[in-house]
Amino acid sequence: MASTGNTGATRPHIFIQTNNKQSIGAIVSAYSMKRNSAHADKFDVTFMQQEAYPFFSRREGQSYMRHGVKRVWHENDLQSFTLTRFMPPKLMGYQGRALVVDPDVFAVQDVWELLTRDMQGKAIMCRGSKFKNGAFASSVMLLDCAKLQHWDVEKGFNELFEGKRDYHTWISLLMEDRNTIGTFEDEWNDFDRLTPHTKMIHNTRRRTQPWKTGLKVDYTPTEFVPVIGWIMRMRRKLFGDHSLLGRYARHPDRNQEALFFGLLKEAYEKGLVTDAQIKEAMNNNFIRHDSYDVMKSVPPLAPLKAAA
């Protein structure tokens, strides 16, 4: 269903960012894209596994700036995959159309509608900014790869540690020409909201990701918010990256929990994710230890609705 690595394909392509910690989520994401499309045979899906690119590991333990705050790069962070979202144009040979998504983004309607969207000459389409500084949500991006030949992830990643760019400015697309960015409806990157209008849901609130419930928190919280950010920075400096952060909470929307585990259950029954993968993920505390029990208890998912 999904491949890993370079591709020279020019037909529409979905790239899912991931790392070892989010590998099960990435598999479920890929499955949701194909399951919920009436055009699944017309596009490809590829995982971008962060650990597969050595230039990331070469910066282990080094400092960079994120939103004006000094941070240390750790490959084992929950979100160490985020900068791979700028790799698809190069992986596509700077041609064709690509959709890149986080591993915690799941299609609930037909992604083909977005893949074939009229981009109106834009290089990038994504969810519009809700921030005063104009930051965009790059966690789901539709890309015209031919227009993004200036994207070189390894070069940009090295510039983080050379003091030439800030992570936030990069990830928020603030380094791009604003005229090259178009926007699509929020429902294509619906933040922690599942409604009849949602097309792709994004579990952005890390503490309540449905597959992490009960595990110890293993991500570094945001540190640029006044007062709270200062407290978080001091906690990290005094006690370590993930100390005193508690445990992941259960998602308040049981429908979102049921969606994830319903998709995981179907992928498991189809052999797209194996017992070995699930058990390894549980042993490494990448997914909750009662995952099998939750899979058994969730109701069957509704089939894809036929296109009108």
Side-chain angles (χ1 to χ4, degrees):
M1 177 185 63
S3 59
T4 303
N6 291 7
T7 175
T10 55
R11 73 183 200 147
H13 211 104
I14 298 175
F15 290 88
I16 299 175
Q17 315 164 67
T18 190
N19 56 18
N20 288 335
K21 287 189 173 184
Q22 294 282 39
S23 58
I24 297 297
I27 292 171
V28 173
S29 177
Y31 174 67
S32 74
M33 301 293 174
K34 290 285 191 177
R35 177 201 189 271
N36 290 325
S37 177
H39 307 275
D41 60 332
K42 296 179 181 178
F43 62 88
D44 299 309
V45 181
T46 291
F47 297 130
M48 296 184 298
Q49 188 80 22
Q50 174 262 319
E51 292 88 351
Y53 302 99
F55 63 86
F56 287 116
S57 62
R58 286 197 288 266
R59 293 292 185 171
E60 178 67 28
Q62 296 185 29
S63 297
Y64 66 99
M65 298 301 291
R66 178 169 180 165
H67 218 299
V69 175
K70 186 173 286 188
R71 297 282 285 267
V72 175
W73 174 257
H74 290 304
E75 252 207 327
N76 69 346
D77 186 79
L78 182 68
Q79 291 190 298
S80 63
F81 59 80
T82 51
L83 294 176
T84 64
R85 68 184 56 168
F86 297 104
M87 298 179 99
K90 188 172 184 178
L91 294 176
M92 293 281 284
Y94 297 105
Q95 57 183 323
R97 179 172 290 200
L99 176 68
V100 60
V101 304
D102 278 9
D104 49 8
V105 172
F106 311 103
V108 292
Q109 295 191 41
D110 197 334
V111 70
W112 185 249
E113 180 187 339
L114 182 59
L115 280 169
T116 55
R117 172 71 67 91
D118 179 3
M119 296 184 69
Q120 299 180 337
K122 303 296 185 181
I124 306 164
M125 291 193 77
C126 61
R127 178 168 171 160
S129 174
K130 64 176 183 178
F131 303 103
K132 291 182 180 180
N133 67 354
F136 287 93
S138 62
S139 46
V140 175
M141 291 188 290
L142 184 63
L143 308 173
D144 183 339
C145 296
K147 292 182 169 66
L148 295 166
Q149 297 192 34
H150 59 290
W151 281 15
D152 184 329
V153 177
E154 183 171 1
K155 179 177 180 291
F157 185 68
N158 288 331
E159 287 179 351
L160 278 179
F161 302 90
E162 296 165 0
K164 297 179 180 178
R165 64 172 67 192
D166 183 285
Y167 173 96
H168 172 75
T169 305
W170 187 9
I171 208 78
S172 302
L173 301 178
L174 296 175
M175 299 179 70
E176 300 299 317
D177 179 350
R178 177 64 182 82
N179 294 321
T180 68
I181 304 173
T183 59
F184 50 58
E185 300 79 12
D186 290 355
E187 286 79 12
W188 285 111
N189 189 3
D190 227 346
F191 297 160
D192 302 286
R193 186 183 68 159
L194 182 60
T195 75
H197 302 291
T198 298
K199 296 178 182 293
M200 293 199 297
I201 185 169
H202 186 179
N203 290 131
T204 62
R205 295 193 185 103
R206 289 169 290 182
R207 187 172 285 273
T208 59
Q209 287 186 331
W211 55 96
K212 304 285 283 186
T213 306
L215 301 177
K216 289 184 178 180
V217 168
D218 56 353
Y219 64 86
T220 303
T222 300
E223 296 181 347
F224 66 88
V225 179
V227 182
I228 294 176
W230 180 85
I231 293 171
M232 287 293 102
R233 288 196 296 276
M234 294 305 298
R235 175 205 58 78
R236 176 167 57 86
K237 290 178 181 178
L238 292 173
F239 303 106
D241 288 343
H242 306 139
S243 298
L244 308 180
L245 293 178
R247 294 182 178 273
Y248 287 91
R250 188 173 186 183
H251 200 288
D253 183 357
R254 299 297 184 264
N255 290 329
Q256 293 185 43
E257 180 180 278
L259 172 66
F260 176 84
F261 280 98
L263 290 167
L264 178 59
K265 181 179 181 178
E266 288 187 4
Y268 172 71
E269 290 173 345
K270 293 177 183 295
L272 301 174
V273 59
T274 66
D275 278 309
Q277 289 173 304
I278 293 175
K279 290 176 181 177
E280 180 181 12
M282 289 193 294
N283 289 338
N284 287 319
N285 292 322
F286 297 161
I287 62 173
R288 56 196 286 181
H289 295 173
D290 62 348
S291 290
Y292 280 114
D293 294 333
V294 182
M295 285 165 57
K296 291 177 183 177
S297 66
V298 294
L301 296 177
L304 173 69
K305 294 181 180 178

